[in-house]
Amino acid sequence: MPASVPAPLSATVPANRLIVDLDALVANWRRLDRLSGQAECGAAVKADAYGLGLVPVAKALAGAGCRTFFVAHAQEAIALRAALADVRIVVLHGVLAGEEKALAAAHILPALNDLGQVALWRGAANALGRPLPAFLQVDTGMNRLGLPEEEVAAVERDPDLLAGVALQAVMSHLYCADQPGHAANGAQLARFRAIRARLPYAPGSLANSAGILLGGDYAFDLVRPGIALYGARARDGDTGFCPVVRLQGRILQVHDIDQGETVGYGAAHRSAGPAKIATVAMGYADGYPRAASGRGRAWLNGQPVPVVGRVSMDLITVDATAAAAHAVPGASIDFLGPDETIDDLAAASGMFSYEILTRLGSRLTRSYVGGAS
Ligand SMILES: *Cc1c(COP(=O)(O)O)cnc(C)c1O
């Protein structure tokens, strides 16, 4: 082959992989669906389904019966619509001036967050000569998104503000649901009920993953789980959700070192004794947190092996002495999986589980197991 013709990508071996178990994802959705009683169970798939891949995740959930999907941005909604024609897609950020037509044409619902967005959507409905479906988000104390009290009062006085808006749900968002004893939960619940009674009737939606675990009072008509679908804890101590993600690296090289030798940048690790150091082809550019330097843990052939030295951009060093016979170039090593959960890595790195997931990088090769096949 002439040197100018590159070898196909398929001739390369992926150095590391993010393996997503779609059966575990679906099992988690079914569990959340059961926990929500009569309420419809949707799915939050914003941020590329928390880093796991929007289209494969949404298709697997739709195959299991999920009908309503929540994304943050209009672009995410349009990408999802191209893959799934028949599901309800809600844009949590609502509608921005200029994108009304594109959203309406793709049958995407904004969650209208203030009267400015309501006016944009009303205007689009007028221009098209047909009512346009939407969610209405009201603020119940988070002070982030949603109609504030004075705007709720304005709609109460003049329901025609919603003329042309086909209201499919009134929603709000809990801000302390991961702390079951927090007084904000009950306060938000009471406020949400009171606001719904003042607005034209529409189904209600309040609970994220942790909100579902607060119990049936919080479920209303539609729930919006995200993190629990992907196998991370919705709150401390919750159990029963399946691990969905496996993050697998590949050993490039192995070094036998003596007591007192150091490993990696800054000589951050000094070996207490003779050790076998395995260098893995993954780093913080792949989303493995640098903050897990000297604190994270990997699994090699079923044995825990500590991450030692600094995590660098493209490489991680682990002390593989405990599994020395398996520390060979080409061997796979797990940084996330059933033994090392997203929450374990979050704790080791001082990061937030949601952040661990959403940072899993674009350089990882994603592969999917299970699912309708
Ligand atoms: C992200 C999000 C969710 C899902 O939250 P989890 O904590 O991941 O279950 C639900 N509702 C809104 C408004 C969100 O922004």
Side-chain angles (χ1 to χ4, degrees):
M1 194 190 292
S4 60
V5 177
L9 192 61
S10 58
T12 65
V13 179
N16 43 54
R17 297 197 297 161
L18 182 66
I19 303 164
V20 179
D21 183 341
L22 297 174
D23 289 339
L25 171 84
V26 163
N28 290 338
W29 181 80
R30 293 208 164 107
R31 182 180 167 84
L32 290 156
D33 188 27
R34 278 195 304 276
L35 286 169
S36 311
Q38 296 301 305
E40 177 189 346
C41 188
V45 292
K46 59 200 184 187
D48 201 26
Y50 291 41
L52 304 191
L54 172 64
V55 169
V57 162
K59 280 191 165 169
L61 293 173
C66 182
R67 308 313 307 156
T68 303
F69 293 87
F70 296 89
V71 294
H73 293 270
Q75 297 94 308
E76 296 177 304
I78 297 212
L80 181 54
R81 177 57 79 217
L84 285 173
D86 301 329
V87 300
R88 186 160 67 158
I89 304 174
V90 181
V91 178
L92 293 166
H93 289 182
V95 58
L96 305 181
E99 63 190 23
E100 305 92 322
K101 273 194 184 136
L103 291 185
H107 304 286
I108 290 161
L109 284 64
L112 302 171
N113 286 307
D114 63 23
L115 287 184
Q117 293 195 346
V118 168
L120 283 176
W121 205 236
R122 197 175 57 225
N126 279 340
L128 290 168
R130 62 178 167 95
L132 288 178
F135 279 32
L136 186 68
Q137 172 149 233
V138 296
D139 181 54
T140 50
M142 190 174 193
N143 291 312
R144 192 181 69 167
L145 281 179
L147 272 69
E149 166 54 31
E150 61 274 18
E151 295 193 351
V152 171
V155 176
E156 188 181 11
R157 280 193 305 273
D158 181 8
D160 279 351
L161 286 172
L162 297 176
V165 177
L167 213 54
Q168 292 205 352
V170 173
M171 64 172 278
S172 193
H173 192 46
L174 297 164
Y175 60 94
C176 290
D178 59 343
Q179 300 167 62
H182 201 291
N185 296 320
Q188 283 194 275
L189 180 63
R191 200 154 166 191
F192 187 57
R193 286 181 170 144
I195 289 173
R196 283 185 72 210
R198 294 161 60 199
L199 295 174
Y201 174 78
S205 177
L206 182 62
N208 62 345
S209 302
I212 293 168
L213 300 182
L214 290 176
D217 283 353
Y218 290 81
F220 292 89
D221 303 296
L222 169 66
V223 296
R224 312 185 301 267
I227 195 76
L229 292 172
Y230 308 114
R233 280 203 295 264
R235 69 182 193 204
D236 283 350
D238 80 19
T239 53
F241 294 101
C242 308
V244 171
V245 177
R246 189 159 169 197
L247 176 61
Q248 203 168 59
R250 193 176 284 278
I251 296 174
L252 282 178
Q253 199 180 358
V254 177
H255 289 265
D256 290 299
I257 64 169
D258 293 327
Q259 179 187 356
E261 286 198 72
T262 69
V263 178
Y265 284 125
H269 176 73
R270 187 176 295 276
S271 190
K276 194 174 274 295
I277 302 296
T279 304
V280 183
M282 177 162 23
Y284 59 75
D286 301 291
Y288 191 85
R290 187 171 179 276
S293 298
R295 303 174 64 183
R297 194 169 59 168
W299 291 76
L300 179 57
N301 195 51
Q303 293 286 323
V305 289
V307 170
V308 295
R310 295 226 178 112
V311 171
S312 37
M313 184 185 290
D314 314 302
L315 296 166
I316 299 173
T317 39
V318 302
D319 182 341
T321 313
H326 301 278
V328 293
S332 289
I333 182 164
D334 283 4
F335 290 87
L336 286 173
D339 295 319
E340 198 70 18
T341 67
I342 297 158
D343 296 289
D344 292 334
L345 181 54
S349 57
M351 285 169 64
F352 189 41
S353 57
Y354 294 64
E355 205 181 348
I356 299 278
L357 272 179
T358 55
R359 285 163 60 121
L360 291 173
S362 53
R363 194 166 64 179
L364 297 169
T365 299
R366 281 167 176 66
S367 55
Y368 297 89
V369 298
S373 55

